Amino acid sequence: MAQQQNYLTVPAVQKIMLAILKDVVTYFDTHDYHYVLTGGSALGAVRHQGFIPWDDDADVALPRHEYERFIREYKPNNSQFELLTPLNTTNWLYGYARISDTYTQADGKWATVNNGVYVDIFPIDAVPPTKFGQKKAYYHMKYLDVMRNSTRRLAISHQEPAWWLKPLLIKYAKRHTTTWWANKMDRLAQKTNQRYQDHSDIYSLYIVQGLNNTKENFHLAVYQQRQRAKFEDINIYIPAASQHYLTQMYGDWHALPSKSKRKTHARFYYKGVEVHD
């Protein structure tokens, strides 16, 4: 049996992610999509001119109408990659799309993951214009995300808040499948966007607010106005108001976090190679 050293190193994971990014960005540029890097990927572009050294995922966002067209029409140029979405993937675990490397597999310690090394593709949706409305919308999405994640649980850490309640929460959530909850999240994001796109200038990666709260709520111009930035050996779009964007997202984003906070999301290995701790 293979040992733990068979897990891919972070640089190896990043090499695959960069290949995925090149494939999808070429498609975006060829077909006139108005994408931006978001989250830690935008931070990496500005602070490191590429990946954050310990990061093992990448985030890209599209306006909702372009996102819907993308998940219908995108075919990776590289046959090693596949598009995973609620539309085309049985038992999909998320309310958004991922482009995944088919030669690798994620090994989730705390929750089931059914993809390889990946790049996330998020829709940018309109949200309520008022702070009260935004907070209400957040709690709605947060509830669904907690239920979705509860159905994926493999283990519970005793360091989690109220960890002793988690078994009851898991039992309650498992009245439905992970995919059922993920689809509820997707429908809520679409419905919210439809309701507010003509009445609000506040937009967000609403589908992932369960993770990020409302810190990705920005005036539409922040997502619409873009600038090119160096990312490893390619040029890629990030929000033009990058200083404002990163400050709202991360506070003092110039400073590196302590080593204890430099965490990866999952471990990856090549399929066909068995791994264990």
Side-chain angles (χ1 to χ4, degrees), residues 85-96:
T85 79
L87 293 177
N88 71 355
T89 308
T90 303
N91 299 323
W92 185 229
L93 306 177
Y94 307 93
Y96 51 85

Side-chain angles (χ1 to χ4, degrees), residues 44-233:
V46 175
R47 193 172 67 191
H48 302 276
Q49 290 74 59
F51 292 108
I52 296 172
W54 55 90
D55 207 2
D56 63 351
D57 75 341
D59 301 327
V60 181
L62 294 165
R64 168 60 74 171
H65 67 285
E66 292 187 5
Y67 170 86
E68 296 292 341
R69 175 162 62 100
F70 173 77
I71 64 174
R72 291 194 307 268
E73 299 179 1
Y74 173 65
K75 299 291 189 297
N77 185 58
N78 188 330
S79 61
Q80 182 175 332
F81 308 140
E82 63 179 341
L83 176 66
L84 305 174
T85 79
L87 293 177
N88 71 355
T89 308
T90 303
N91 299 323
W92 185 229
L93 306 177
Y94 307 93
Y96 51 85
R98 278 185 171 169
I99 304 169
S100 174
D101 171 61
T102 60
Y103 291 4
T104 57
Q105 176 61 45
D107 178 22
K109 182 178 182 181
W110 304 108
T112 302
V113 185
N114 58 354
N115 54 262
V117 176
Y118 62 93
V119 171
D120 281 330
I121 311 292
F122 301 125
I124 302 170
D125 290 315
V127 294
T130 66
K131 293 293 185 182
F132 174 79
Q134 291 166 30
K135 187 60 67 173
K136 182 179 178 181
Y138 159 69
Y139 282 119
H140 193 171
M141 186 63 77
K142 178 67 175 179
Y143 165 75
L144 295 177
D145 196 45
V146 168
M147 294 297 104
R148 179 190 66 87
N149 264 324
S150 295
T151 63
R152 299 169 56 219
R153 282 295 188 136
L154 297 174
I156 299 170
S157 170
H158 286 192
Q159 296 179 347
E160 297 179 40
W163 63 266
W164 46 275
L165 281 175
K166 296 298 171 69
L168 292 176
L169 189 64
I170 291 169
K171 183 177 180 180
Y172 177 78
K174 284 188 173 181
R175 297 175 303 148
H176 304 291
T177 65
T178 309
T179 301
W180 188 90
W181 290 109
N183 287 338
K184 288 275 285 186
M185 293 173 68
D186 183 36
R187 288 194 296 271
L188 173 61
Q190 291 187 52
K191 181 179 178 180
T192 302
N193 180 69
Q194 291 169 359
R195 179 176 181 181
Y196 291 105
Q197 62 185 347
D198 296 327
H199 309 288
S200 176
D201 64 348
I202 305 299
Y203 280 68
S204 180
L205 306 189
Y206 182 45
I207 194 69
V208 288
Q209 276 200 3
L211 290 173
N212 298 331
N213 207 315
T214 58
K215 63 184 178 181
E216 288 186 285
N217 288 4
F218 291 96
H219 287 282
L220 178 58
V222 172
Y223 288 114
Q224 281 184 330
Q225 297 173 7
R226 309 179 298 161
Q227 66 181 22
R228 287 279 189 180
K230 176 178 171 57
F231 192 93
E232 303 297 338
D233 61 351

